[in-house]
PDB file of all heavy atoms in Angstrom:
ATOM      1  N   ALA D 880      74.459  81.934  71.656  1.00 75.00           N
ATOM      2  CA  ALA D 880      74.096  82.396  70.321  1.00 75.00           C
ATOM      3  C   ALA D 880      74.497  83.851  70.150  1.00 75.00           C
ATOM      4  O   ALA D 880      74.588  84.598  71.119  1.00 75.00           O
ATOM      5  CB  ALA D 880      72.587  82.247  70.105  1.00 75.00           C
ATOM      6  N   PRO D 881      74.763  84.298  68.917  1.00 80.00           N
ATOM      7  CA  PRO D 881      75.107  85.696  68.695  1.00 80.00           C
ATOM      8  C   PRO D 881      73.918  86.607  69.003  1.00 80.00           C
ATOM      9  O   PRO D 881      72.757  86.234  68.833  1.00 80.00           O
ATOM     10  CB  PRO D 881      75.461  85.739  67.206  1.00 80.00           C
ATOM     11  CG  PRO D 881      74.727  84.584  66.613  1.00 80.00           C
ATOM     12  CD  PRO D 881      74.717  83.522  67.661  1.00 80.00           C
ATOM     13  N   ARG D 882      74.230  87.803  69.439  1.00 86.00           N
ATOM     14  CA  ARG D 882      73.175  88.761  69.760  1.00 86.00           C
ATOM     15  C   ARG D 882      72.533  89.299  68.491  1.00 86.00           C
ATOM     16  O   ARG D 882      73.156  89.354  67.430  1.00 86.00           O
ATOM     17  CB  ARG D 882      73.754  89.934  70.550  1.00 86.00           C
ATOM     18  CG  ARG D 882      74.288  89.558  71.926  1.00 86.00           C
ATOM     19  CD  ARG D 882      74.944  90.770  72.572  1.00 86.00           C
ATOM     20  NE  ARG D 882      76.104  91.227  71.784  1.00 86.00           N
ATOM     21  CZ  ARG D 882      76.732  92.374  71.991  1.00 86.00           C
ATOM     22  NH1 ARG D 882      76.298  93.207  72.930  1.00 86.00           N
ATOM     23  NH2 ARG D 882      77.783  92.696  71.265  1.00 86.00           N
ATOM     24  N   LEU D 883      71.280  89.733  68.628  1.00 90.00           N
ATOM     25  CA  LEU D 883      70.631  90.450  67.536  1.00 90.00           C
ATOM     26  C   LEU D 883      71.026  91.923  67.629  1.00 90.00           C
ATOM     27  O   LEU D 883      71.012  92.517  68.699  1.00 90.00           O
ATOM     28  CB  LEU D 883      69.112  90.301  67.622  1.00 90.00           C
ATOM     29  CG  LEU D 883      68.565  88.873  67.538  1.00 90.00           C
ATOM     30  CD1 LEU D 883      67.040  88.888  67.494  1.00 90.00           C
ATOM     31  CD2 LEU D 883      69.126  88.128  66.331  1.00 90.00           C
ATOM     32  N   ASP D 884      71.383  92.497  66.492  1.00 89.00           N
ATOM     33  CA  ASP D 884      71.783  93.905  66.466  1.00 89.00           C
ATOM     34  C   ASP D 884      70.556  94.793  66.635  1.00 89.00           C
ATOM     35  O   ASP D 884      69.512  94.563  66.013  1.00 89.00           O
ATOM     36  CB  ASP D 884      72.477  94.209  65.139  1.00 89.00           C
ATOM     37  CG  ASP D 884      72.985  95.621  65.063  1.00 89.00           C
ATOM     38  OD1 ASP D 884      74.088  95.880  65.567  1.00 89.00           O
ATOM     39  OD2 ASP D 884      72.268  96.487  64.510  1.00 89.00           O
ATOM     40  N   ASP D 885      70.684  95.811  67.462  1.00 88.00           N
ATOM     41  CA  ASP D 885      69.544  96.687  67.746  1.00 88.00           C
ATOM     42  C   ASP D 885      68.988  97.339  66.480  1.00 88.00           C
ATOM     43  O   ASP D 885      67.783  97.579  66.370  1.00 88.00           O
ATOM     44  CB  ASP D 885      69.944  97.785  68.746  1.00 88.00           C
ATOM     45  CG  ASP D 885      70.206  97.234  70.141  1.00 88.00           C
ATOM     46  OD1 ASP D 885      69.734  96.113  70.417  1.00 88.00           O
ATOM     47  OD2 ASP D 885      70.885  97.909  70.931  1.00 88.00           O
ATOM     48  N   ASP D 886      69.859  97.633  65.512  1.00 91.00           N
ATOM     49  CA  ASP D 886      69.427  98.291  64.276  1.00 91.00           C
ATOM     50  C   ASP D 886      69.173  97.309  63.141  1.00 91.00           C
ATOM     51  O   ASP D 886      68.869  97.728  62.018  1.00 91.00           O
ATOM     52  CB  ASP D 886      70.483  99.313  63.830  1.00 91.00           C
ATOM     53  CG  ASP D 886      70.656 100.443  64.844  1.00 91.00           C
ATOM     54  OD1 ASP D 886      69.629 100.902  65.391  1.00 91.00           O
ATOM     55  OD2 ASP D 886      71.806 100.847  65.079  1.00 91.00           O
ATOM     56  N   GLY D 887      69.329  96.011  63.415  1.00 93.00           N
ATOM     57  CA  GLY D 887      69.108  95.016  62.366  1.00 93.00           C
ATOM     58  C   GLY D 887      70.216  94.965  61.329  1.00 93.00           C
ATOM     59  O   GLY D 887      70.018  94.442  60.231  1.00 93.00           O
ATOM     60  N   LEU D 888      71.396  95.495  61.663  1.00 95.00           N
ATOM     61  CA  LEU D 888      72.526  95.489  60.738  1.00 95.00           C
ATOM     62  C   LEU D 888      73.489  94.368  61.112  1.00 95.00           C
ATOM     63  O   LEU D 888      73.887  94.244  62.273  1.00 95.00           O
ATOM     64  CB  LEU D 888      73.249  96.830  60.768  1.00 95.00           C
ATOM     65  CG  LEU D 888      72.504  97.985  60.102  1.00 95.00           C
ATOM     66  CD1 LEU D 888      73.151  99.318  60.453  1.00 95.00           C
ATOM     67  CD2 LEU D 888      72.475  97.797  58.587  1.00 95.00           C
ATOM     68  N   TYR D 889      73.860  93.560  60.109  1.00 96.00           N
ATOM     69  CA  TYR D 889      74.692  92.389  60.356  1.00 96.00           C
ATOM     70  C   TYR D 889      75.852  92.339  59.367  1.00 96.00           C
ATOM     71  O   TYR D 889      75.703  92.659  58.184  1.00 96.00           O
ATOM     72  CB  TYR D 889      73.843  91.108  60.257  1.00 96.00           C
ATOM     73  CG  TYR D 889      72.776  91.073  61.313  1.00 96.00           C
ATOM     74  CD1 TYR D 889      71.501  91.580  61.049  1.00 96.00           C
ATOM     75  CD2 TYR D 889      73.040  90.579  62.585  1.00 96.00           C
ATOM     76  CE1 TYR D 889      70.523  91.590  62.043  1.00 96.00           C
ATOM     77  CE2 TYR D 889      72.079  90.579  63.575  1.00 96.00           C
ATOM     78  CZ  TYR D 889      70.828  91.091  63.300  1.00 96.00           C
ATOM     79  OH  TYR D 889      69.863  91.112  64.288  1.00 96.00           O
ATOM     80  N   ARG D 890      77.026  91.922  59.886  1.00 96.00           N
ATOM     81  CA  ARG D 890      78.221  91.785  59.072  1.00 96.00           C
ATOM     82  C   ARG D 890      78.322  90.344  58.562  1.00 96.00           C
ATOM     83  O   ARG D 890      78.116  89.384  59.309  1.00 96.00           O
ATOM     84  CB  ARG D 890      79.457  92.137  59.890  1.00 96.00           C
ATOM     85  CG  ARG D 890      80.763  92.069  59.099  1.00 96.00           C
ATOM     86  CD  ARG D 890      81.965  92.534  59.905  1.00 96.00           C
ATOM     87  NE  ARG D 890      82.399  91.550  60.878  1.00 96.00           N
ATOM     88  CZ  ARG D 890      82.146  91.606  62.174  1.00 96.00           C
ATOM     89  NH1 ARG D 890      81.422  92.583  62.680  1.00 96.00           N
ATOM     90  NH2 ARG D 890      82.610  90.686  62.995  1.00 96.00           N
ATOM     91  N   ILE D 891      78.662  90.202  57.305  1.00 97.00           N
ATOM     92  CA  ILE D 891      78.752  88.885  56.676  1.00 97.00           C
ATOM     93  C   ILE D 891      80.099  88.241  57.005  1.00 97.00           C
ATOM     94  O   ILE D 891      81.158  88.790  56.688  1.00 97.00           O
ATOM     95  CB  ILE D 891      78.577  88.998  55.150  1.00 97.00           C
ATOM     96  CG1 ILE D 891      77.203  89.569  54.814  1.00 97.00           C
ATOM     97  CG2 ILE D 891      78.758  87.633  54.490  1.00 97.00           C
ATOM     98  CD1 ILE D 891      77.026  89.894  53.337  1.00 97.00           C
ATOM     99  N   LEU D 892      80.054  87.076  57.649  1.00 96.00           N
ATOM    100  CA  LEU D 892      81.265  86.298  57.939  1.00 96.00           C
ATOM    101  C   LEU D 892      81.544  85.271  56.841  1.00 96.00           C
ATOM    102  O   LEU D 892      82.700  84.900  56.621  1.00 96.00           O
ATOM    103  CB  LEU D 892      81.135  85.571  59.268  1.00 96.00           C
ATOM    104  CG  LEU D 892      81.024  86.409  60.541  1.00 96.00           C
ATOM    105  CD1 LEU D 892      80.895  85.505  61.748  1.00 96.00           C
ATOM    106  CD2 LEU D 892      82.221  87.321  60.689  1.00 96.00           C
ATOM    107  N   GLY D 893      80.498  84.789  56.200  1.00 97.00           N
ATOM    108  CA  GLY D 893      80.669  83.781  55.158  1.00 97.00           C
ATOM    109  C   GLY D 893      79.513  83.831  54.192  1.00 97.00           C
ATOM    110  O   GLY D 893      78.381  84.139  54.580  1.00 97.00           O
ATOM    111  N   VAL D 894      79.783  83.535  52.930  1.00 98.00           N
ATOM    112  CA  VAL D 894      78.716  83.463  51.932  1.00 98.00           C
ATOM    113  C   VAL D 894      79.050  82.358  50.942  1.00 98.00           C
ATOM    114  O   VAL D 894      80.161  82.273  50.433  1.00 98.00           O
ATOM    115  CB  VAL D 894      78.507  84.820  51.208  1.00 98.00           C
ATOM    116  CG1 VAL D 894      79.817  85.345  50.626  1.00 98.00           C
ATOM    117  CG2 VAL D 894      77.446  84.696  50.119  1.00 98.00           C
TER     118      VAL D 894
END
Side-chain angles (χ1 to χ4, degrees):
R882 295 175 297 169
L883 300 186
D884 183 84
D885 291 341
D886 297 320
L888 287 167
Y889 297 92
R890 182 175 76 258
I891 299 172
L892 295 180
V894 53

